[in-house]
Amino acid sequence: MATAPALSDFEPRFGHPPDVVVQAPGRINLIGDHTDYSGGLVLPMAIDRAVLVAARATSARCLDVYSVPFDQTARISLETMEVDRAAPWSCYVAGVLAMLRRQHVEPRGAEFWIGGDVPPGAGLASSAALEVGVALAMLSLASKKLPRVALATLCRQAEQECAGAPCGIMDQLCCVSARADHAMLIDCRSMMTQQVPLDLGEAALVVVDSGVRHSIAGAGYARRRRECAVALATLAQVDPRITSLRDVGEGRLSKLRPSLDETLFRRVRHVATENARVVEAAGAISSGDVERFGRLMTSSHVSLRDDFQASCVEVDDLVASLSAVKGVHGARMTGGGFGGCVIALVDRAALERASAAVRGVPNSRGDAREMFVVRPSDAARVLSNDG
Ligand code: GLA
């Protein structure tokens, strides 16, 4: 993405050029959903769509933040860190400032401009990108640095505490550590990451927005988290060696089944089988086995749909229509679910057919469905720093 929009839009609005411009990518998760908050494995990649944050320091004791997607300015006082109620999106910004202060980085008064091309709420981790972008811009204005994992953890904390969204670490960690042409295998228990070269040969990864807006602060995600916590508490009583659902391998499922009711058993079965699929998918990608990777994506979707029940009809319809196209190796929901985006692994020669298939799926909002190709991209970074 070019720096031009942030630079050229900032000056007419605030009367000066920005001191710093940061680009923070969105992500898709290739496989491994609803496993991160159970200490599990995930395999996301940053995409070539990003949130752009431009900022300039001022001598005021507040931040004036303009958001392009919401076409709105919010003022955040550095004394109270109070969020402008008329601009709920600004809680992500205020949250990051509050967490920076907790890390002894004192936020400066500033003007912020937030734009880019990650649609908010579509399941492409726009909020993580916003948090990381704001944090990097403020760190730059304050001439401070933080290690990557600390930065990701701080941003997740902002989302959890200030936006009330009980998310895991995947999105923020991917945003700060991703590498172009690679997927990232993350062990969310040890926080170890491994870059997996992503060469899909003749195939491409595509994204289709279901149009159903999801929110990690919404009821479905939080309910699933609670169910996983209850299942863990129950299993820990049966076997004290189980300290996270990560400890439940596929091989132990049948033995543990009598201890859980049917719903909780299905949630645990999803986590156990999904962790195994992530390992297999990383192997399939490394050996260039596109077909196996595609099959794993589809079985991941089935597990999220039937066992974890984190999908919805619109997303399932898109997955079904894509899967029926010759040349599509696999398709699945990605991210938190309950709406949001679908991803698919498609032979380049079949892209037109796939695009026609999704255009044929009814859309409740009545607008045309867009399918776009995504490329594995670099982590968040400061593009220009004139301060
Ligand atoms: C959202 C959360 C992540 C993760 C996914 C589901 O994107 O922010 O932490 O839990 O949902 O895999």
Side-chain angles (χ1 to χ4, degrees):
M1 180 182 297
T3 61
L7 293 170
S8 60
D9 292 355
F10 190 95
E11 192 157 353
R13 180 161 297 275
F14 294 114
H16 320 261
D19 294 335
V20 59
V21 180
V22 175
Q23 173 177 310
R27 64 99 191 90
I28 57 170
N29 189 19
L30 298 174
I31 195 161
D33 272 312
H34 287 277
T35 51
D36 62 349
Y37 52 82
S38 289
L41 302 170
V42 296
L43 192 64
M45 65 171 223
I47 58 172
D48 47 343
R49 290 198 168 209
V51 168
L52 282 181
V53 178
R56 176 178 170 272
T58 65
S59 54
R61 289 299 296 150
C62 64
L63 232 73
D64 283 322
V65 191
Y66 175 71
S67 158
V68 176
F70 294 96
D71 187 20
Q72 202 178 22
T73 304
R75 172 161 289 186
I76 301 167
S77 153
L78 291 181
E79 313 301 337
T80 62
M81 294 286 183
E82 219 160 81
V83 173
D84 187 340
R85 278 169 188 269
W89 54 267
S90 65
C91 68
Y92 293 98
V93 181
V96 168
L97 302 183
M99 295 306 135
L100 281 169
R101 184 173 277 168
R102 208 183 271 178
Q103 296 298 315
H104 312 292
V105 176
E106 191 47 37
R108 298 184 61 178
E111 291 157 339
F112 268 60
W113 176 101
I114 294 165
D117 55 4
V118 187
L124 300 176
S126 58
S127 49
L130 171 59
E131 291 146 17
V132 170
V134 167
L136 282 177
M138 186 51 86
L139 282 165
S140 168
L141 294 184
S143 307
K144 293 270 165 62
K145 282 205 159 90
L146 280 176
R148 271 193 286 227
V149 174
L151 180 61
T153 309
L154 173 155
C155 290
R156 175 184 56 172
Q157 218 154 356
E159 182 145 352
Q160 288 185 336
E161 288 186 30
C162 309
C167 62
I169 193 67
M170 170 173 71
D171 301 347
Q172 290 82 2
L173 209 49
C174 177
C175 190
V176 302
S177 301
R179 194 188 295 168
D181 303 322
H182 289 72
M184 257 181 89
L185 177 60
I186 309 176
D187 180 329
C188 298
R189 181 152 66 178
S190 66
M191 301 283 243
M192 295 289 287
T193 59
Q194 190 190 324
Q195 303 288 349
V196 182
L198 188 58
D199 177 2
L200 298 171
E202 290 307 303
L205 285 157
V206 300
V207 173
V208 185
D209 188 352
S210 73
V212 179
R213 282 295 165 255
H214 93 152
S215 153
I216 295 300
Y221 188 93
R223 198 174 308 128
R224 292 296 174 274
R225 275 210 76 150
R226 279 197 303 276
E227 287 167 349
C228 287
V230 173
L232 172 61
T234 310
L235 294 178
Q237 281 185 340
V238 178
D239 181 348
R241 287 171 304 178
I242 299 178
T243 58
S244 82
L245 291 187
R246 170 72 180 281
D247 295 323
V248 182
E250 277 183 294
R252 298 182 72 186
L253 281 172
S254 53
K255 216 164 176 196
L256 294 169
R257 186 168 199 155
S259 317
L260 296 167
D261 70 26
E262 180 62 17
T263 303
L264 292 188
F265 174 71
R266 282 165 171 262
R267 306 297 186 246
V268 175
R269 182 165 62 187
H270 166 70
V271 176
T273 57
E274 186 80 343
N275 281 332
R277 278 186 292 269
V278 172
V279 175
E280 208 186 326
I285 289 174
S286 301
S287 59
D289 191 341
V290 169
E291 270 178 39
R292 184 152 67 106
F293 174 37
R295 277 198 305 275
L296 288 160
M297 287 171 74
T298 304
S299 37
S300 165
H301 183 75
V302 170
S303 177
L304 283 156
R305 183 191 67 197
D306 298 345
D307 273 356
F308 212 74
Q309 295 180 295
S311 188
C312 65
V313 177
E314 294 82 349
V315 165
D316 294 341
D317 287 350
L318 279 173
V319 168
S321 67
L322 280 161
S323 303
V325 174
K326 192 163 173 282
V328 171
H329 298 283
R332 65 186 294 275
M333 58 162 266
T334 189
F338 303 101
C341 284
V342 166
I343 58 168
L345 184 59
V346 185
D347 275 340
R348 288 189 183 275
L351 283 172
E352 262 311 308
R353 279 200 298 277
S355 176
V358 299
R359 278 198 303 273
V361 180
N363 179 344
S364 49
R365 289 190 311 189
D367 41 9
R369 280 191 196 281
E370 192 205 351
M371 183 185 98
F372 53 92
V373 173
V374 284
R375 287 167 198 84
S377 301
D378 271 321
R381 63 186 194 279
V382 173
L383 293 178
S384 72
N385 190 339
D386 302 331

